[in-house]
Amino acid sequence: DILMTQSPPSLSASIGDRVTITCRAGHSIGKFLNWFQQKPGKAPQLLIYSVSNLADGVPSRFTGSGSGSGADFTLTISSLQPEDFATYYCQQSYSRPWTFGQGTEVEI
Amino acid sequence: QMQLQESGPGLVKPSQTLSLTCTVSGGSMTSGTYYWTWIRQAAGKRLEWIGRIHFAGSTDYNPSLKSRVTISVDTSKKQFSLHLTSVTAADTAVYYCARDYGEGPDYWGQGVRVTVSS
């Protein structure tokens, strides 16, 4: 299985802050990387697919990027809004079983 | 808008079989590119992909669960199901059904909490 490692596990931020979350795959996974947002008691929602494509309805303050290695990825929130406080997960779809990162909790 | 809803017992006894059903609405189950997926999340742990099924019947399972898992589909009822045998406390989790667009889940159900306890 491909191990997905996120950092940091949690972070504290304020409204308007720029926030960056990183995800590292156990080996190169190319563009097969998705990001999800999960709020307490709710199902995860697809945020970004294939490294950098915004899912329907996702605000443009969210951006995803990847390094040339194909193993390092970043989720950036350019200006944190109240509704963005949640836990964020990365997920690889390079090979089955699909695997997820351990999550990054964004708190006030 | 695609919607999925899990249903099934919230309490299962150890060694018994956990059975859940997901009902799909707002879209077709028989579009060729989609799979129908089960994912679970135990308290304090990362999301775990259980497996998926194509409407034509082909399945993929997580090797860590493969010996105990069966996923089936009934397109006439717009439902797919999860059966997990010989459950233990380690199977206690929130279980989600989701549509897999081929490279991961896009639409998710709200989740159902299942506790394994006598």
Side-chain angles (χ1 to χ4, degrees):
Chain A
D1 299 3
I2 298 177
L3 180 63
M4 305 298 291
T5 304
Q6 288 180 234
S7 61
S10 65
L11 64 90
S12 295
S14 300
I15 303 300
D17 283 354
R18 181 182 182 88
V19 168
T20 299
I21 298 168
T22 63
C23 175
R24 172 165 287 179
H27 61 70
S28 176
I29 59 172
K31 285 195 161 290
F32 296 95
L33 189 282
N34 300 324
W35 289 97
F36 295 87
Q37 177 193 67
Q38 185 178 32
K39 296 182 180 178
K42 300 292 187 181
Q45 289 194 300
L46 181 64
L47 212 56
I48 290 175
Y49 63 96
S50 300
V51 177
S52 58
N53 297 283
L54 291 185
D56 290 346
V58 175
S60 59
R61 63 180 179 272
F62 291 92
T63 57
S65 62
S67 72
S69 69
D72 293 300
F73 305 91
T74 300
L75 172 68
T76 300
I77 309 172
S78 60
S79 177
L80 198 66
Q81 298 302 301
E83 60 269 29
D84 301 336
F85 291 96
T87 299
Y88 294 84
Y89 295 94
C90 60
Q91 174 250 328
Q92 66 81 21
S93 54
Y94 177 83
S95 67
R96 293 184 294 278
W98 302 157
T99 48
F100 294 82
Q102 79 276 30
T104 295
E105 184 178 8
V106 176
E107 351 177 71
I108 300 174
Chain B
Q1 173 81 349
M2 171 69 61
Q3 293 187 328
L4 299 96
Q5 177 69 58
E6 306 88 350
S7 59
L11 181 65
V12 181
K13 289 182 167 48
S15 79
Q16 293 192 341
T17 296
L18 180 161
S19 296
L20 298 173
T21 296
C22 182
T23 302
V24 178
S25 60
S28 171
M29 286 196 77
T30 56
S31 172
T33 57
Y34 297 122
Y35 295 80
W36 305 94
T37 298
W38 289 97
I39 295 164
R40 69 181 183 179
Q41 187 174 34
K45 297 206 168 182
R46 67 182 70 197
L47 293 153
E48 180 180 28
W49 182 81
I50 299 171
R52 68 180 189 176
I53 189 166
H54 188 264
F55 79 88
S58 63
T59 53
D60 298 302
Y61 297 131
N62 192 321
S64 67
L65 297 168
K66 187 173 184 177
S67 63
R68 298 194 293 128
V69 170
T70 302
I71 297 175
S72 58
V73 65
D74 185 339
T75 56
S76 67
K77 294 183 178 178
K78 297 191 77 173
Q79 293 178 333
F80 62 106
S81 298
L82 169 70
H83 298 281
L84 181 66
T85 63
S86 304
V87 297
T88 69
D91 296 309
T92 294
V94 176
Y95 285 76
Y96 295 99
C97 63
R99 188 183 77 170
D100 181 329
Y101 68 95
E103 295 176 6
D106 52 3
Y107 290 96
W108 297 61
Q110 65 184 23
V112 60
R113 185 174 302 276
V114 178
T115 301
V116 178
S117 174
S118 56

